[in-house]
């Protein structure tokens, strides 16, 4: 039950995009059509799980025993970036179909704030390993959901008579703000 | 050669249901509940309605003039202003009401290109904005009898576990938003809209069915403290939301299956928020959530035609 709550909390109540405003750049950049949005969303879930698993080990098995917690930001950034690059090369060589689906999005999110934010939240909330994985899957799913909603709306906006100054990123940011207002309805759902 | 028939471009047959006619019918349908709100709240209601309608028109007119387009009075600003006023607490300061409707009209409607192109219901978006900006003023309620601060049936149920008598809730003689309290009169207006075929019956039908179904499940299997289905169906803004907010054709998916899911989804989120969120009422947020999901629901394919084979389907899905 605890795991389900962590998952739903990260996916809906504390959605990374709509309530923490993390990862806005891919949210605006790849939400122009549904296909790109879903590719990006699944890539984010994949990287989040990978990153949280790796950084959990680094934090609890290396940094903690030697009292090096102040190095966490540097260590996390370095580990996540190199790990994702390595995985990308691995996928390209050994699982080409998967690389074709996720590959082009992987380099885009290696240094994304949502990924680093996830690992830092994981440390603050003091999750154990399994909880961290559920947290990562939840956060990634919430990211995918927000991207899909946004992509659906933006496809409709293509044919709307939007005032010229607001076209493109302007209306996308206004829409993101409206979505954040709406997701406020879920606040208070988990203590 | 003398022509017996007239040649002209389509359309040849004009529908009687143009936008102003639709809006006129919505105002007629709202009239009983509005009249009752004047009786219940007196001057407060009159001031709120006039401020909201005035600023709805003012912001629409100003925005259209800034864009150098021609202003056409299609009645949509009137309907948005009235609906917005009906969702407000009667004790709300008038300036807040003005901020809310201006936000709703400008951010919710005109930034998206005006009538027929908005993603969210402008009135509800304005209310959500007020909810975020002035949470205390938006959640303090007065009694219609003595204007003292009190709790709505839903907040009494949620925060202190009291259940109001069904009769009082049905008649609407209870605290609540300006125009939401009388479920019976709103049902009357909804029935008028359904008979005139202004709104799609699928949305309110599946909305109310989902609310009834989920609340009966909880009431009969999880305990009476969850509130009876009758209580949930007739309290709060459900009737106003189901017949007047969710049915806005602009923010609905175009396909029928999508509309069924839209209605049922509104019901699901309403009950989810009523049971588990920090707010006692979830109608506003649930309609807005489904507004946001509507473009995705549009992607649900229509029913398969008889004899359609896979190659046709592939062609269509491309």
């Amino acid at each position: 039950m605890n795991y389900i709550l962590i998952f739903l909390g990260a996916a809906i109540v504390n959605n990374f995009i709509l309530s923490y405003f993390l990862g806005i750049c891919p949210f605006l950049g790849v939400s122009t059509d549904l296909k790109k949005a879903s590719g990006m969303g699944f890539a984010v879930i994949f990287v989040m799980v990978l990153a949280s698993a790796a950084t959990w080990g680094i934090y609890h098995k290396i940094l903690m025993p030697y009292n090096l917690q102040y190095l966490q930001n540097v260590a996390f950034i370095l580990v996540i970036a190199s790990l994702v690059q390595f995985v990308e090369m691995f996928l390209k060589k050994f699982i080409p179909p998967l690389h074709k689906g996720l590959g082009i999005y992987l380099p885009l999110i290696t240094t994304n704030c949502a990924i680093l934010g996830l690992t830092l939240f994981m440390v603050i909330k003091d999750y154990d390993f399994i909880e961290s994985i559920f947290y990562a899957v939840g956060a990634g799913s919430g990211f995918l959901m927000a991207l899909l909603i946004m992509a659906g709306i933006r496809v409709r906006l293509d044919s709307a008579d939007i005032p010229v100054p607001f076209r493109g990123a302007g209306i996308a940011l206004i829409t993101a703000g409206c979505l954040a207002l709406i997701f406020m309805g879920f606040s208070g759902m988990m203590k | 050669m003398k022509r017996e028939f007239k040649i002209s471009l389509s359309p040849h047959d004009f529908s009687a249901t143009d936008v102003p006619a639709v809006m006129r019918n919505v105002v007629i349908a709202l009239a009983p509940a509005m009249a009752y709100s004047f009786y219940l709240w007196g001057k407060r209601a009159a001031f709120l309605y006039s401020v909201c309608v005035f600023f709805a028109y003012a912001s629409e007119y100003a925005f259209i003039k800034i864009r150098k387009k021609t202003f056409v009075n299609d009645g949509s600003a009137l309907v948005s202003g009235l609906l917005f006023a009906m969702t407000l607490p009667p004790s709300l300061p008038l300036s807040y009401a003005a901020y809310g409707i201006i936000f709703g009209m400008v951010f919710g409607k005109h930034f998206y290109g005006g009538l027929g192109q908005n993603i969210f219901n402008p009135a509800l978006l304005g209310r959500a904005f007020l909810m975020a900006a002035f949470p205390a003023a938006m959640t303090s309620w007065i009694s219609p009898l003595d204007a003292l601060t009190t709790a709505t049936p839903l907040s009494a149920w949620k925060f202190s576990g009291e259940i109001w008598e069904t009769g009082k809730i049905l008649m609407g003689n209870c605290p609540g938003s300006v125009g939401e309290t009388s479920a019976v009169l709103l049902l009357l207006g909804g029935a008028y809209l359904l008979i005139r075929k202004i709104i799609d019956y699928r949305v309110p039908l599946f909305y109310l069915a989902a609310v009834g179904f989920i609340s009966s499940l909880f009431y009969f299997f999880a305990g009476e403290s969850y509130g009876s289905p009758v209580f949930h169906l007739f309290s709060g803004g459900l009737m106003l939301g189901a017949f007047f907010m969710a049915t806005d054709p602009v923010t609905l998916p175009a396909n029928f299956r999508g509309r069924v899911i839209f209605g049922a989804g509104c019901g699901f989120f309403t009950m989810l928020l009523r049971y588990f969120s920090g707010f006692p009422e979830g109608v506003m947020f649930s309609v807005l959530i489904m507004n946001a999901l509507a473009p995705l629901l549009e992607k649900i394919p229509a029913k398969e035609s008889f004899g359609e084979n896979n190659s046709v389907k592939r062609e269509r899905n491309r």
Side-chain angles (χ1 to χ4, degrees):
Chain A
M1 194 62 202
N2 186 27
Y3 297 135
I4 299 170
L5 283 183
I6 289 179
F7 174 85
L8 289 179
I12 295 171
V13 182
N14 295 318
N15 189 292
F16 267 53
I17 295 178
L18 299 175
S19 72
Y20 290 151
F21 303 107
L22 290 171
I24 296 293
C25 33
F27 180 60
L28 296 179
V30 257
S31 58
T32 43
D33 70 74
L34 279 167
K35 213 170 163 190
K36 278 189 207 159
S38 57
M40 182 70 176
F42 284 110
V44 167
I45 298 180
F46 181 72
V47 171
M48 277 186 164
V49 172
L50 217 61
S52 66
T55 51
W56 191 90
I58 304 262
Y59 188 79
H60 286 271
K61 300 298 168 210
I62 299 174
L63 298 183
M64 281 264 264
Y66 298 104
N67 265 332
L68 292 172
Q69 284 97 327
Y70 61 89
L71 282 178
Q72 64 174 11
N73 292 8
V74 182
F76 285 4
I77 292 172
L78 204 65
V79 168
I80 295 168
S82 46
L83 181 75
V84 174
Q85 290 300 330
F86 174 75
V87 169
E88 200 217 338
M89 287 190 279
F90 177 83
L91 288 182
K92 199 171 181 179
K93 181 89 172 102
F94 293 103
I95 322 174
L98 190 61
H99 180 259
K100 224 177 151 192
L102 302 182
I104 46 169
Y105 303 108
L106 286 178
L108 291 174
I109 36 178
T110 45
T111 52
N112 194 282
C113 53
I115 314 287
L116 182 66
L118 173 95
T119 57
L120 295 177
F121 279 130
M122 185 186 84
V123 168
I124 293 170
K125 296 187 181 203
D126 204 17
Y127 283 151
D128 67 25
F129 186 73
I130 308 284
E131 284 173 337
S132 309
I133 298 296
F134 270 90
Y135 187 59
V137 176
S141 311
F143 202 97
L144 172 68
M145 180 188 67
L147 262 178
L148 285 179
I149 292 176
M150 191 64 180
I153 292 176
R154 282 184 83 170
V155 170
R156 246 194 78 174
L157 291 183
D158 284 343
S159 57
D161 173 32
I162 295 163
V164 180
F166 295 110
R167 287 194 187 151
I171 196 73
L173 279 168
I174 290 170
T175 309
C178 295
L179 286 175
L181 257 184
I182 292 165
F183 267 67
M184 195 185 70
F186 291 111
S187 65
M189 246 165 69
M190 270 152 226
K191 304 277 141 48
Chain B
M1 198 181 92
K2 193 171 151 256
R3 279 212 179 96
E4 294 290 320
F5 49 89
K6 211 171 104 191
I7 293 180
S8 73
L9 290 172
S10 63
H12 305 291
D13 188 15
F14 289 96
S15 157
T17 53
D18 53 351
V19 173
V22 168
M23 298 299 171
R24 209 160 42 238
N25 274 312
V26 174
V27 174
I28 294 172
L30 282 173
M34 271 174 63
Y36 187 70
S37 67
F38 284 123
Y39 161 74
L40 215 54
W41 312 109
K43 262 192 304 194
R44 288 173 194 272
F47 280 134
L48 276 175
Y49 282 123
S50 26
V51 164
C52 292
V53 170
F54 174 78
F55 279 100
Y57 268 107
S59 47
E60 176 147 310
Y61 185 80
F63 207 88
I64 285 175
K65 284 295 152 198
I66 291 170
R67 288 190 76 188
K68 300 196 173 63
K69 298 199 166 190
T70 36
F71 178 78
V72 184
N73 182 14
D74 51 26
S76 64
L78 175 67
V79 167
S80 293
L82 290 178
L83 280 176
F84 176 74
M86 293 179 94
T87 66
L88 298 175
S91 56
L92 192 79
L94 294 177
S95 58
Y96 293 2
Y99 303 148
I101 189 65
I102 291 172
F103 181 90
M105 292 303 277
V106 173
F107 281 80
K109 185 174 169 193
H110 284 288
F111 279 1
Y112 289 98
L115 183 70
Q117 306 182 62
N118 47 310
I119 302 287
F120 306 106
N121 184 318
L124 288 182
L125 197 68
R127 190 178 196 274
F129 168 72
L130 286 189
M131 201 76 178
F134 310 109
M138 286 299 285
T139 49
S140 72
W141 307 95
I142 54 170
S143 160
L145 305 174
D146 47 14
L148 293 177
T149 308
T150 178
T152 64
L154 273 174
S155 51
W157 157 74
K158 179 135 188 172
F159 299 123
S160 43
E162 300 162 35
I163 307 259
W164 277 59
E165 293 161 46
T166 313
K168 271 189 176 170
I169 296 172
L170 267 179
M171 284 324 295
N173 195 6
C174 59
S177 299
V178 170
E180 74 172 15
T181 53
S182 175
V184 170
L185 295 177
L186 287 167
L187 261 173
L188 199 71
Y192 173 78
L193 289 183
L194 284 176
I195 291 166
R196 298 299 299 262
K197 298 210 168 112
I198 305 288
I199 59 176
D200 187 346
Y201 72 91
R202 291 174 189 85
V203 179
L205 177 70
F206 282 90
Y207 194 163
L208 299 179
V211 167
F213 178 71
I214 295 171
S215 54
S216 347
L217 271 189
F218 273 84
Y219 184 66
F220 292 116
F221 295 108
E224 298 199 350
S225 63
Y226 280 101
S228 71
V230 177
F231 172 76
H232 278 293
L233 279 172
F234 293 106
S235 58
L238 184 63
M239 291 298 163
L240 190 61
F243 285 99
F244 295 95
M245 302 291 190
T247 51
D248 179 359
V250 179
T251 56
L252 282 180
N255 51 345
F256 294 146
R257 277 191 184 182
R259 289 184 178 189
V260 169
I261 300 175
F262 185 97
C266 284
F268 169 77
F269 281 114
T270 300
M271 293 319 291
L272 182 80
L273 295 176
R274 277 188 184 175
Y275 285 146
F276 302 115
S277 82
F279 301 101
E281 175 60 303
V283 170
M284 167 183 75
F285 286 120
S286 62
V287 174
L288 286 170
I289 291 165
M290 293 314 288
N291 283 169
L293 290 174
L296 290 179
L297 295 180
E298 205 123 283
K299 305 275 171 206
I300 295 168
K303 211 170 171 184
E304 210 167 294
S305 332
F306 180 68
E308 189 178 66
N309 59 20
N310 283 333
S311 67
V312 176
K313 218 186 290 175
R314 263 202 304 279
E315 194 62 32
R316 193 182 55 202
N317 288 343
R318 234 159 43 154

